[in-house]
Amino acid sequence: KLASKPVKQYTLVLCLDRSSASNLHTQPQSQAQAHRILLGYKKAGFGAHKFNGFGGKVERSDSSVRAAAARELHEESGIWVPESMLLRAGTLVFDFEDGGSAPPFILHVSVFTLDWKPEVILPLDENASAPVPPPFETDEMIPQWFDVHAIPFADMWPDDELWFPAMLADKPFVGQMWFAADQKTILKSIVAKDDSG
Ligand code: 6OG
């Protein structure tokens, strides 16, 4: 039986650091593989005590999904960049089995990457007065850089292991995951390339 549930739009932004001494002289940075990724440890709410990218629900007041992604990135990490710097990486759809505290709606998550360059962070007054430059701890997240070979998958949503390889290889992807009500078990998943864009 096909479920009919509302679909809610979400965003997720992963910051990738492609600059490194070894990459620098061999290839343009835009094509270099990321060697570090910025994740945030979520302090409370949905997905609490997990590492994840920065993101959240698209609000009616957001002018676009990309604008929502830029807003959430700023709210959760202090990073404020022109929204045009957010690159569309993929789309994920999460459907939870009924029961428990699992969301009674389908999450449609637009995933973006941001090529991390400290110089592009816009100087907001708010940031200028901050004790440290972004990324910094916010009410929701504690940002932390990880080597791409040491991503803490055991402390992340279990789907991440399925699509991070495509994202880190700059391959557009679409994925759908069906979670059990325990919000831990993936009952079924599909990850595919998306060359349509
Ligand atoms: P707020 O509750 O913070 O938005 N999100 C997921 N991310 C991953 N990697 N896997 C999942 O598997 C996820 N479900 C939701 C979307 C929630 C944030 O968490 C992401 C949003 O960025 C189920 O407003």
Side-chain angles (χ1 to χ4, degrees):
K1 183 173 160 283
L2 293 175
S4 75
K5 292 183 203 175
V7 176
K8 294 195 181 177
Q9 299 275 344
Y10 284 78
T11 63
L12 189 62
V13 178
L14 288 308
C15 301
L16 302 177
D17 184 354
R18 300 175 191 274
S19 67
S20 77
S22 59
N23 280 336
L24 217 54
H25 303 291
T26 52
Q27 42 193 340
Q29 274 194 29
S30 57
Q31 283 154 40
Q33 291 278 102
H35 66 103
R36 287 197 309 167
I37 183 166
L38 183 70
L39 299 172
Y41 180 81
K42 187 141 188 219
K43 290 155 75 172
F46 189 57
H49 312 304
K50 290 182 176 69
F51 284 100
N52 202 350
F54 305 98
K57 202 166 159 305
V58 178
E59 305 288 349
R60 293 178 72 90
S61 53
D62 291 314
S63 54
S64 65
V65 174
R66 192 182 299 272
R71 177 184 55 73
E72 287 280 350
L73 174 66
H74 177 243
E75 286 173 9
E76 296 187 347
S77 74
I79 297 171
W80 185 236
V81 294
E83 64 178 71
S84 60
M85 288 198 62
L86 300 181
L87 305 175
R88 201 73 171 74
T91 303
L92 298 168
V93 175
F94 301 121
D95 192 353
F96 290 86
E97 203 176 43
D98 294 341
S101 59
F105 49 83
I106 291 171
L107 286 80
H108 178 286
V109 183
S110 299
V111 183
F112 298 85
T113 55
L114 169 66
D115 283 344
W116 172 255
K117 299 181 191 85
E119 64 272 20
V120 305
I121 293 177
L122 296 178
L124 287 190
D125 290 342
E126 198 182 322
N127 288 343
S129 61
V132 289
F136 49 70
E137 181 175 346
T138 61
D139 288 347
E140 286 176 66
M141 290 282 214
I142 304 172
Q144 186 177 332
W145 286 102
F146 292 91
D147 187 287
V148 291
H149 302 294
I151 294 172
F153 286 117
D155 299 319
M156 294 164 69
W157 281 104
D159 56 275
D160 294 7
E161 233 164 345
L162 304 177
W163 56 270
F164 262 53
M167 183 208 38
L168 291 169
D170 299 304
K171 307 268 189 234
F173 59 90
V174 289
Q176 181 151 5
M177 287 82 186
W178 290 265
F179 277 82
D182 66 6
Q183 302 183 49
K184 292 190 181 92
T185 313
I186 296 179
L187 301 171
K188 186 181 161 183
S189 68
I190 299 170
V191 178
K193 285 200 291 183
D194 180 6
D195 294 333
S196 64

